[in-house]
Amino acid sequence: MHLSVIGCGYVGLVTGACLAEAGHEVMCTDIDGGRIAQLKSGDVPIYEEHLDEVLKSAGKAGRISYTADAGEAIRFGDAIFICVGTPPREDGSADLSAIDHVAQQIATEARTSKLVVEKSTVPARTGEELKRALEAYSRGGNVKFSVVSNPEFLREGTAVYDFFHPDRIVVGVSNEDAAEKMREIYRPILERKFHCPLHKNGCPAEPKGEFLVTTINSAELIKHASNSFLALKISYANVIADLCERLNGDVEQVTHAMGLDPRIGSQFLKAGLGFGGFCFPKDIQAFIRLASSVGLDFDILRAAERVNKERIERFLEKVNKALWVVKGKRIAVLGLAFKANTDDIRFAPAIDVIRRLLDEGAQVHASDPEAMERAKRILPGVTLHEDPYDAIRDAHAVLICTEWSAFKNLDWERAGQSMARKLVVDGRNLYSPKKMADLGFEYYSFGRG
Ligand code: UDX
């Protein structure tokens, strides 16, 4: 099928690349002409594992193209995937102006009937507004638009894998024809007829993606409800960690046992510095605002948000208590990205922690395997080191902010020898308290006595 993708950010590029790799003809466009020029020249503007190779392979097969002319892209596709940003506004609600702008473009540029697919995360009832906008902007023309909500559930760092191995594909539609077309688009993935970039000699993963047809409002709700639930789960684990600290329990033991109950599940129960990134903090806020716009106080989500914000305070309390005086101390921060395996520092707890330490007069030295280029631009007062051991040298304390495996595997015997004081405050519970004590460290983490 011919597909158009509007918006070549993280979601749009992964969607476009994977659908092209799955056998469709894809044309991508973006309001940023520089980005299109970059893509045309073979450069990938974001780092995402396997994206580069999938784009190259689809490009070589002639199934993906790029244009700065939105009209050309709109006329190309039978289905148009809207993948533009929906950032938070001052009050936490989603800014839908980019969606509105695209609706105008589609309505004025389309010459034939189109399936208009919302991929961007949007609050429930956006589909209804989008349909109304498309009809209003096309001023009673003959072209028909069918709106579909098809939320993405991609994790940064494993987005390409997630696209090809989905747990569920949700399509919110208003008619059977739209559902059939969406099934056609996803058929190669549902039937596993794609080239898995992770397993060149055949992908061993069992097909498990369920294709779910729902109403448009339900599909929009599924996305916000899923992300908010995961955020809630993390905050729950973090409150259990606080309780463990007061009652001398071990949160790792507690959450491990909890997670063995299949009704609870082991994922997203990791206590520590809490959640960051561009999705959870913004989605949870947008969901709270959406609920309050229809007279519902989503107080459990407000509590989850508050617990998450408190993580930074709890962490800094530990640092302050251990160090006594922060001013003038050399502090090594390991990890800048909001989670491991990404260079994304948006809403990363490490950034808040560092800003607070700088305000208190600490000398901050930091290291991260991928995120330093981005961090450099927003943290001018920090000395960055490629090698974590250089960041650690002469430090009065090492703070762990991201769960990179490179940090999990650090040689603490070696690191400890170069430190001014053998103190580690671990925001991700990466190490065994006993092992760290045996190595002579003062070691603080979350929820472990
Ligand atoms: C998330 C959703 O997982 C994805 O389905 C959605 O489409 C986009 O948002 P992502 O933002 O890439 O994906 O991150 P994810 O891997 O889900 O982690 C979110 C945050 O929670 C990270 O900051 C992570 O460090 C934190 N986290 C995760 C915890 O603090 N504890 C956990 O147990 C799990």
Side-chain angles (χ1 to χ4, degrees), residues 152 154 156 223 234 268-270 275-276 279-280 338-339:
E152 53 83 15
L154 310 172
E156 280 192 46
K223 169 67 192 226
I234 297 169
F268 283 73
L269 281 178
K270 190 92 188 127
F275 58 82
C279 287
F280 283 2
F338 83 92
K339 65 172 188 179

Side-chain angles (χ1 to χ4, degrees), residues 154-216:
L154 310 172
R155 293 162 300 171
E156 280 192 46
T158 53
V160 170
Y161 178 87
D162 293 347
F163 198 98
F164 285 132
H165 308 84
D167 298 314
R168 76 279 210 210
I169 293 168
V170 175
V171 298
V173 294
S174 59
N175 59 69
E176 195 38 50
D177 185 49
E180 230 5 82
K181 284 192 179 124
M182 291 304 290
R183 197 186 296 274
E184 203 47 49
I185 292 172
Y186 281 104
R187 195 179 302 283
I189 289 161
L190 291 163
E191 294 177 0
R192 306 192 62 74
K193 290 191 180 123
F194 59 87
H195 164 82
C196 178
L198 284 90
H199 307 98
K200 300 271 184 285
N201 302 318
C203 179
E206 285 294 316
K208 54 174 180 160
E210 237 181 271
F211 188 80
L212 300 173
V213 179
T214 69
T215 64
I216 299 175

Side-chain angles (χ1 to χ4, degrees), residues 220-231 287 298 301:
E220 291 164 340
L221 281 163
I222 287 167
K223 169 67 192 226
H224 268 139
S226 302
N227 271 6
S228 297
F229 186 79
L230 291 172
F287 212 29
F298 215 147
L301 283 191

Side-chain angles (χ1 to χ4, degrees), residues 49-275:
E49 204 176 14
H50 301 297
L51 180 59
D52 194 25
E53 62 192 89
V54 174
L55 279 173
K56 281 207 173 84
S57 151
K60 225 162 112 191
R63 283 199 301 268
I64 193 160
S65 58
Y66 311 95
T67 175
D69 176 355
E72 186 190 2
I74 287 163
R75 286 186 290 280
F76 178 86
D78 304 311
I80 302 169
F81 285 78
I82 304 181
C83 304
V84 295
T86 51
R89 291 194 300 194
E90 197 75 28
D91 68 353
S93 63
D95 178 350
L96 301 174
S97 54
I99 303 263
D100 177 52
H101 176 70
V102 170
Q104 285 191 47
Q105 287 182 315
I106 295 174
T108 45
E109 298 287 351
R111 302 286 175 266
T112 53
S113 295
K114 305 282 177 192
L115 208 59
V116 179
V117 187
E118 290 172 355
K119 254 286 170 218
S120 311
T121 300
V122 289
R125 310 204 93 155
T126 301
E128 290 173 4
E129 293 297 337
L130 178 59
K131 173 100 181 126
R132 248 161 33 102
L134 287 165
E135 278 161 11
Y137 293 134
S138 62
R139 292 193 259 165
N142 290 329
V143 174
K144 293 273 166 283
F145 300 106
S146 189
V147 170
V148 177
S149 165
N150 173 218
E152 53 83 15
F153 304 103
L154 310 172
R155 293 162 300 171
E156 280 192 46
T158 53
V160 170
Y161 178 87
D162 293 347
F163 198 98
F164 285 132
H165 308 84
D167 298 314
R168 76 279 210 210
I169 293 168
V170 175
V171 298
V173 294
S174 59
N175 59 69
E176 195 38 50
D177 185 49
E180 230 5 82
K181 284 192 179 124
M182 291 304 290
R183 197 186 296 274
E184 203 47 49
I185 292 172
Y186 281 104
R187 195 179 302 283
I189 289 161
L190 291 163
E191 294 177 0
R192 306 192 62 74
K193 290 191 180 123
F194 59 87
H195 164 82
C196 178
L198 284 90
H199 307 98
K200 300 271 184 285
N201 302 318
C203 179
E206 285 294 316
K208 54 174 180 160
E210 237 181 271
F211 188 80
L212 300 173
V213 179
T214 69
T215 64
I216 299 175
N217 285 336
S218 294
E220 291 164 340
L221 281 163
I222 287 167
K223 169 67 192 226
H224 268 139
S226 302
N227 271 6
S228 297
F229 186 79
L230 291 172
L232 197 62
K233 210 175 165 190
I234 297 169
S235 281
Y236 187 84
N238 280 322
V239 177
I240 300 295
D242 288 349
L243 261 181
C244 285
E245 282 180 20
R246 285 173 176 73
L247 301 173
N248 206 20
D250 182 330
V251 72
E252 297 297 325
Q253 292 176 357
V254 175
T255 53
H256 173 68
M258 282 171 65
L260 293 177
D261 181 335
R263 292 169 303 173
I264 297 174
S266 60
Q267 295 188 52
F268 283 73
L269 281 178
K270 190 92 188 127
L273 262 171
F275 58 82

Side-chain angles (χ1 to χ4, degrees), residues 277-288:
F278 201 56
C279 287
F280 283 2
K282 118 178 137 67
D283 289 356
I284 196 171
Q285 273 201 20
F287 212 29
I288 293 168

Side-chain angles (χ1 to χ4, degrees), residues 236-363:
Y236 187 84
N238 280 322
V239 177
I240 300 295
D242 288 349
L243 261 181
C244 285
E245 282 180 20
R246 285 173 176 73
L247 301 173
N248 206 20
D250 182 330
V251 72
E252 297 297 325
Q253 292 176 357
V254 175
T255 53
H256 173 68
M258 282 171 65
L260 293 177
D261 181 335
R263 292 169 303 173
I264 297 174
S266 60
Q267 295 188 52
F268 283 73
L269 281 178
K270 190 92 188 127
L273 262 171
F275 58 82
F278 201 56
C279 287
F280 283 2
K282 118 178 137 67
D283 289 356
I284 196 171
Q285 273 201 20
F287 212 29
I288 293 168
R289 295 289 168 273
L290 179 68
S292 94
S293 75
V294 289
L296 256 177
D297 181 3
F298 215 147
D299 48 358
I300 47 173
L301 283 191
R302 283 194 290 109
E305 199 186 19
R306 175 179 52 75
V307 167
N308 197 55
K309 284 193 179 132
E310 280 169 9
R311 294 307 93 195
I312 309 279
E313 303 308 321
R314 294 265 182 288
F315 189 64
L316 289 167
E317 275 165 22
K318 290 175 197 289
V319 175
N320 276 299
K321 208 166 150 193
L323 267 178
W324 180 40
V325 171
V326 167
K327 191 173 174 184
K329 296 280 162 57
R330 176 168 166 156
I331 299 180
V333 173
L334 299 189
L336 299 164
F338 83 92
K339 65 172 188 179
N341 305 320
T342 174
D343 63 347
D344 197 342
I345 53 169
R346 290 176 297 177
F347 298 100
I351 307 301
D352 282 344
V353 166
I354 288 175
R355 289 205 168 118
R356 293 279 292 276
L357 294 172
L358 290 173
D359 283 349
E360 287 186 48
Q363 303 163 35

